[in-house]
Amino acid sequence: MTDPLVQLVGLTKSYGAMTAVAGIDLVIGKGEFVVLLGPSGSGKTTVLSMIGGFVEPTGGSVRIGGEDVTSLPPAKRPTATVFQDYALFPHMSVRANVGFGLYMRKVAKAERNRRADETLKLVGLDGFGDRGIHQLSGGQRQRVALARAIAVNPAVLLLDEPLGALDLALRRQMQEELVRIQKRLGTTFVHVTHDQEEAMSIADTIVVMNRGLVEDMGVPARIYRRPASLFAATFMGENNLLPGRVAAVSGDALTVETPLGRLLLAGKADLGGAVQVAVRPEQIYPAATAPENAASLGSARVCELVFQGTHWRARAKTGADGEIALLLRLPPEMQPAVGAEVALFARPEDIVVLSR
Ligand code: ADP
Ligand code: MG
């Protein structure tokens, strides 16, 4: 990581008996694009609001750039926020909206307008300064909200599900633009979403949240491939979870008894302990495409098939009584049939042993 910029220490927020954020320790590096990812109610907005100063923690602290800002109001923090509902001023022009933060900071009008126009250019709204907010589409309003936050040149830009109201195509486009803008400015972005695809598309670092706690944190590829918890394994994309029991431990290698056979896997767990074994649908191969070092997972009976262009999405049953359900992605050139028995393989390094 680069130099730490934002440090959350034991950050907690309770509303009476209800704990929204349950003691979070988090370090965000300077210039990082961090995404807080989690289901609705997991505490994402509350964390963001405590960084921005809109919600007062009931415990712990927020430091930005080495300074404890826990008791500072939003305007005294080096942060700016893009809210989910944009919160633009409908009676003001686009330029006045974008220049609003500069106005509050007593920047003179000419300079304010110059910076507003420059920022509008950056977000792809060159020449829109004189328009009224009501003359803009949803996507354009979103850009104005972004420009307004960027214009004050914050050290940390906080974005709370900013793309939530946009249709899918526009959301994808804005995801790319957010990354482009973030890299160009070098500003630290903390972005909240419940959409794992969005998180993977834009984040340098993903923080997976659940029930007010951090479940996992790291680069998207690591979280996807080697999730640290059961929650992270299932929230980030589709996964097959199978019950297992640790039959032998040797250093960092485990022998795990599973319904798909005895597997030699990397991981740490107690001898005799119950674990879950996670393997992604696309990392289970039929014999024809199995990598050289793949281990056998026995065979499964196909019970549902949907052709999806890049692959067949298949549901299959395995285990002694066919009680184990598997989700598979079979190669598009394969001609699988419902009812057929398919031999399955997976590389041990693609299989994750989870005990929490
Ligand atoms: P997210 O943004 O991940 O959907 P929030 O941070 O908004 O989650 O909320 C986390 C939890 O805290 C939720 O259960 C929510 O109902 C609760 N919560 C948030 N704000 C308040 C509040 N002002 N009063 C009471 N409970 C709240
Ligand atoms: Mg929220």
Side-chain angles (χ1 to χ4, degrees):
M1 192 194 291
T2 53
D3 295 344
L5 181 65
V6 179
Q7 287 168 281
L8 310 181
V9 183
L11 195 64
T12 304
K13 180 66 187 182
S14 302
Y15 295 99
M18 151 82 212
T19 304
V21 175
I24 282 187
D25 297 305
L26 195 63
V27 180
I28 294 172
K30 195 160 187 265
E32 248 190 308
F33 198 137
V34 172
V35 173
L36 306 183
L37 171 69
S40 175
S42 57
K44 307 179 298 293
T45 294
T46 308
V47 169
L48 205 71
S49 306
M50 289 193 281
I51 300 174
F54 299 99
V55 165
E56 196 184 335
T58 44
S61 64
V62 178
R63 299 178 77 84
I64 303 179
E67 188 194 353
D68 190 331
V69 300
T70 316
S71 52
L72 291 184
K76 295 247 163 79
R77 299 186 185 206
T79 54
T81 303
V82 180
F83 296 98
Q84 184 162 15
D85 61 1
Y86 312 154
L88 298 172
F89 304 112
H91 58 283
M92 286 168 28
S93 70
V94 165
R95 182 178 295 109
N97 265 281
V98 174
F100 186 75
L102 299 168
Y103 171 78
M104 294 302 283
R105 285 165 172 75
K106 302 199 165 47
V107 174
K109 189 168 181 189
E111 170 65 5
R112 209 160 73 215
N113 287 344
R114 191 190 65 73
R115 277 178 47 194
D117 287 344
E118 183 185 284
T119 313
L120 282 168
K121 211 173 190 171
L122 180 75
V123 300
L125 288 180
D126 198 8
F128 279 68
D130 294 322
R131 289 233 198 156
I133 297 300
H134 62 279
Q135 292 171 296
L136 302 178
S137 69
Q140 290 166 337
R141 285 176 202 205
Q142 203 285 330
R143 287 165 197 259
V144 174
L146 179 63
R148 182 177 62 182
I150 288 173
V152 299
N153 194 24
V156 188
L157 188 67
L158 307 170
L159 306 107
D160 193 357
E161 311 233 14
L163 312 182
L166 307 181
D167 66 54
L168 185 61
L170 204 49
R171 200 152 72 223
R172 293 238 164 94
Q173 186 191 341
M174 281 305 296
Q175 288 166 4
E176 288 177 16
E177 288 199 38
L178 276 180
V179 171
R180 179 180 59 78
I181 290 167
Q182 193 269 340
K183 296 300 170 226
R184 169 127 172 236
L185 295 173
T187 304
T188 304
F189 278 29
V190 185
H191 177 118
V192 162
T193 183
H194 62 269
D195 177 348
Q196 50 103 6
E197 280 179 32
E198 176 165 308
M200 280 201 269
S201 315
I202 62 179
D204 295 321
T205 302
I206 294 178
V207 178
V208 181
M209 289 190 60
N210 182 33
R211 298 165 182 260
L213 284 169
V214 173
E215 290 268 347
D216 201 354
M217 174 178 179
V219 298
R222 202 282 293 148
I223 294 185
Y224 187 85
R225 299 183 63 85
R226 307 292 307 176
S229 75
L230 281 170
F231 181 84
T234 49
F235 195 72
M236 281 276 282
E238 293 181 315
N239 223 330
N240 292 292
L241 287 184
L242 306 160
R245 185 159 298 279
V246 180
V249 180
S250 161
D252 284 346
L254 304 170
T255 305
V256 184
E257 291 289 358
T258 79
L260 307 183
R262 193 173 249 254
L263 301 170
L264 185 61
L265 304 171
K268 280 201 190 314
D270 296 331
L271 181 62
V275 293
Q276 298 278 327
V277 167
V279 54
R280 299 276 181 195
E282 71 272 22
Q283 287 165 342
I284 301 179
Y285 303 88
T289 55
E292 234 171 55
N293 67 335
S296 169
L297 303 180
S299 67
R301 185 173 300 277
V302 175
C303 48
E304 246 180 79
L305 268 178
V306 179
F307 185 65
Q308 299 206 311
T310 53
H311 61 274
W312 290 94
R313 181 185 164 87
R315 292 194 183 277
K317 289 273 166 81
T318 184
D321 311 312
E323 77 286 9
I324 303 289
L326 288 179
L327 185 60
L328 308 172
R329 289 190 172 198
L330 300 173
E333 59 277 8
M334 199 174 159
Q335 311 229 305
V338 169
E341 224 19 76
V342 185
L344 299 175
F345 300 83
R347 301 189 309 167
E349 64 265 39
D350 292 334
I351 304 177
V352 183
V353 181
L354 296 163
S355 39
R356 70 168 180 102

